[in-house]
Amino acid sequence: MFRQSIVSFFCALQLGSLAWASDYSAEVARSAQKYQISLSDLSALIVTADKAPKTLVDINSDQRMSLASVSKLITSVGVLGNFGAKERFETTVKLAGAVRGALYKGDLYLVGGGDPSFGVAGMMDLAAKIQQKKIRKIQGDLVVDESLFDQVRYDSRDYDRVDALHDARIGAMSFHWNSFKIVVRPGALGKNAKLQMIPANDYIKIVGHIKTVKGSANGVIAERRKLSSGQEVLFVKGTLGRGYTEYEFEKNVSSPAKWSGHALKYYLKQKGIQITGQVKLGQAPADAVTVASHSGRTIAELLADLNKESNNVVAEMLATQIAIKHRRRASVSEGVEIINQQLQAMNFPKGSFTFLNPAGLNHGNRTSSRNMLKILSSVVSDEKLRPVFMDSLPISGVDGTLKKRGLASKSIEWVKAKTGYMKNVITMVGRVKGSDGRIFNFSFMYNGCGSDRNVMRFYDELLVNVVEKELQAYGGS
């Protein structure tokens, strides 16, 4: 009770200094007290999406805050400013010699085009096209050419790396977001559990075993290491309860190019095509001939991967593609610099914007809610860009990072927004459509040590309260 009183006291102090176009101070104070949110840790802005926007809620809207993954909205605008929605990136396979019957003597070259979406379907497509050439044996090495990008695997980040899909390395030749999943299923009692790697690839060697025991506890331990020989090994041990249906975990890889090369070798083998040599890194000769190619997902589809699933690999690879488009050094940092130049053209107040990482993986990415809504408004006001941009956003209760956050209100038709989460950072920027057809733009950015769940509930409750009150004011039901 004492803590709630203190929160209410500070909320009253903070709200008293705010100017409200519509009086939502009671709603904000009630929700802040309920979820123990200190408004000094919050930047929030809700405005009507009219030709003459009306401010409904304004809490520290000019205060610079860390962005986390809502930074991907900025990256999206940068991508749409440089590529058409239907553009694609291409992955190719090349030969540097002549094919005689079913035999090809020479190296096979897998050339990366920087496609963030290249995965199992793309690899199978390349293997099938090579099979159509009637080649059955390749007497040489499989050489992976990743020279389109520089060799920097990570951009500016300010936290310890983790061995997971969202923190994977990037490269011009990437496959399945440079990560894999291990599915562990219990076996007979006392026997080893069954392990399956998805996608299948002999680049990773699995060593050890997991014992099946009674109960339903999960005691699986897995650690990926790279040996001095270059071989990547996943060491597993521990136990899995018989009552556990299955357990899944994800890991990333050290060398995206070699991972990709081993994948192609695997799928060629499935097609009855043998490669006698090793998987190596190198560059395709200038006169090499393309024998197979695969076009990836469109820019519009890549933006959906970027925003709905908040895919960091996609963010950093698209930033690198922006640099290539401008004929700059093919790096994430060059792409970020170009995006910053585009931001400067929007005439934000000096010193109000810092953009360091296209995925948001740096607490130094900072700006205000007012600036974020300026960016949002700029793209949704463009009739050509709006559909592509809005279709890329998670929909509350439907998909992406908002799939489990449905808003139970008859007053709301939909919420489409990008979310962001880092240590002490919880953000959400997007649009909400009321049941009367009116649309509101909003930006919520919290930088504090409050409960993540409480902050998200605060955001959702505030949105519902504002939309419901607006409907009542305009005669809606």
Side-chain angles (χ1 to χ4, degrees):
M1 176 68 83
F2 174 75
R3 184 175 179 181
Q4 289 182 340
S5 299
I6 291 294
V7 171
S8 299
F9 173 73
F10 280 108
C11 286
L13 284 180
Q14 293 157 357
L15 289 169
S17 64
L18 299 174
W20 302 83
S22 296
D23 187 12
Y24 290 101
S25 55
E27 284 81 0
V28 173
R30 183 169 59 249
S31 295
Q33 177 181 356
K34 179 179 178 180
Y35 297 112
Q36 300 181 349
I37 304 297
S38 172
L39 298 186
S40 61
D41 295 331
L42 179 71
S43 173
L45 188 60
I46 304 177
V47 302
T48 61
D50 304 322
K51 290 184 179 180
K54 175 185 176 184
T55 300
L56 304 176
V57 173
D58 184 336
I59 306 170
N60 307 319
S61 63
D62 291 314
Q63 183 171 314
R64 278 167 39 98
M65 309 289 277
S66 290
L67 301 175
S69 280
V70 298
S71 300
K72 293 182 175 76
L73 294 181
I74 301 168
T75 302
S76 298
V77 174
V79 171
L80 289 171
N82 286 280
F83 296 97
K86 295 182 179 181
E87 287 190 59
R88 304 170 186 263
F89 304 113
E90 191 172 63
T91 304
T92 58
V93 175
K94 297 185 177 184
L95 303 179
V99 178
R100 288 182 172 81
L103 176 66
Y104 166 66
K105 290 186 177 181
D107 294 335
L108 185 75
Y109 295 90
L110 174 61
V111 183
D115 176 18
S117 69
F118 189 74
V120 172
M123 202 66 85
M124 292 178 68
D125 181 43
L126 290 180
K129 288 175 178 175
I130 295 170
Q131 183 187 44
Q132 291 172 5
K133 301 294 182 181
K134 308 299 183 183
I135 299 172
R136 292 297 175 266
K137 186 175 183 179
I138 298 169
Q139 200 167 311
D141 295 322
L142 197 164
V143 180
V144 185
D145 185 341
E146 58 172 353
S147 61
L148 182 65
F149 286 9
D150 70 1
Q151 298 303 301
V152 178
R153 301 303 182 190
Y154 305 114
D155 194 44
S156 170
R157 305 185 185 187
D158 63 350
Y159 67 95
D160 293 335
R161 309 212 59 80
V162 294
D163 190 4
L165 182 151
H166 74 269
D167 219 5
R169 296 159 178 82
I170 68 166
M173 187 59 248
S174 292
F175 169 66
H176 198 264
W177 305 300
N178 301 325
S179 61
F180 59 94
K181 177 169 67 177
I182 297 293
V183 180
V184 187
R185 298 183 179 90
L189 191 63
K191 301 297 183 180
N192 291 341
K194 301 173 183 177
L195 278 69
Q196 179 186 11
M197 185 168 73
I198 303 173
N201 193 320
D202 62 7
Y203 173 70
I204 302 289
K205 182 180 180 181
I206 299 177
V207 176
H209 63 269
I210 297 165
K211 187 177 180 180
T212 305
V213 296
K214 292 181 179 180
S216 57
N218 171 20
V220 175
I221 300 173
E223 182 183 358
R224 181 181 56 81
R225 299 179 196 166
K226 188 174 183 179
L227 304 182
S228 57
S229 64
Q231 172 72 55
E232 287 207 42
V233 178
L234 181 69
F235 292 95
V236 298
K237 63 181 180 178
T239 60
L240 186 67
R242 184 103 167 88
Y244 220 103
T245 304
E246 65 179 31
Y247 169 63
E248 298 180 356
F249 60 90
E250 294 173 333
K251 297 287 185 179
N252 57 45
V253 301
S254 296
S255 173
K258 286 189 176 180
W259 159 252
S260 302
H262 278 277
L264 179 57
K265 190 174 183 179
Y266 173 85
Y267 287 106
L268 286 173
K269 185 178 180 180
Q270 300 301 305
K271 295 290 185 182
I273 302 172
Q274 177 190 6
I275 297 179
T276 61
Q278 304 298 312
V279 174
K280 297 181 178 180
L281 303 182
Q283 284 187 247
D287 59 352
V289 178
T290 299
V291 291
S293 63
H294 176 81
S295 294
R297 291 161 65 82
T298 65
I299 287 293
E301 292 168 328
L302 288 174
L303 289 183
D305 292 337
L306 173 67
N307 291 323
K308 286 185 182 292
E309 305 305 328
S310 205
N311 193 304
N312 299 325
V313 170
V314 175
E316 296 192 333
M317 290 184 69
L318 286 177
T320 306
Q321 290 287 9
I322 289 175
I324 294 171
K325 187 82 169 184
H326 286 253
R327 298 184 179 181
R328 302 269 285 271
R329 181 170 58 87
S331 68
V332 178
S333 59
E334 289 290 326
V336 167
E337 183 176 329
I338 293 166
I339 294 173
N340 272 300
Q341 291 170 357
Q342 293 175 327
L343 290 173
Q344 292 171 11
M346 297 184 71
N347 297 317
F348 291 112
K350 187 176 181 180
S352 69
F353 223 117
T354 305
F355 184 71
L356 303 174
N357 182 279
L361 298 171
N362 193 312
H363 284 82
N365 277 21
R366 300 175 68 88
T367 195
S368 65
S369 282
R370 190 176 303 281
N371 284 349
M372 287 306 297
L373 286 198
K374 186 174 181 179
I375 290 174
L376 178 67
S377 297
S378 72
V379 68
V380 298
S381 63
D382 188 312
E383 293 185 0
K384 183 179 178 181
L385 301 182
R386 181 173 61 247
V388 177
F389 178 81
M390 291 303 297
D391 285 348
S392 77
L393 299 180
I395 305 172
S396 178
V398 177
D399 61 17
T401 58
L402 287 178
K403 186 174 183 178
K404 296 181 180 180
R405 283 178 65 185
L407 301 187
S409 173
K410 294 181 180 180
S411 300
I412 292 179
E413 183 175 327
W414 51 251
V415 176
K416 299 181 180 182
K418 183 73 194 77
T419 58
Y421 308 97
M422 288 181 74
K423 185 177 181 180
N424 298 331
V425 179
I426 306 168
T427 53
M428 183 175 176
V429 177
R431 314 188 90 192
V432 53
K433 184 177 182 180
S435 58
D436 64 348
R438 297 177 67 207
I439 295 177
F440 309 87
N441 297 336
F442 64 88
S443 172
F444 299 144
M445 296 194 284
Y446 176 83
N447 290 186
C449 55
S451 160
D452 292 1
R453 180 173 294 183
N454 279 356
V455 173
M456 289 186 282
R457 286 174 174 172
F458 171 79
Y459 290 169
D460 295 348
E461 187 169 291
L462 183 56
L463 270 184
V464 170
N465 288 339
V466 169
V467 174
E468 287 182 348
K469 194 168 182 178
E470 284 295 302
L471 257 64
Q472 292 171 5
Y474 282 79
S477 56

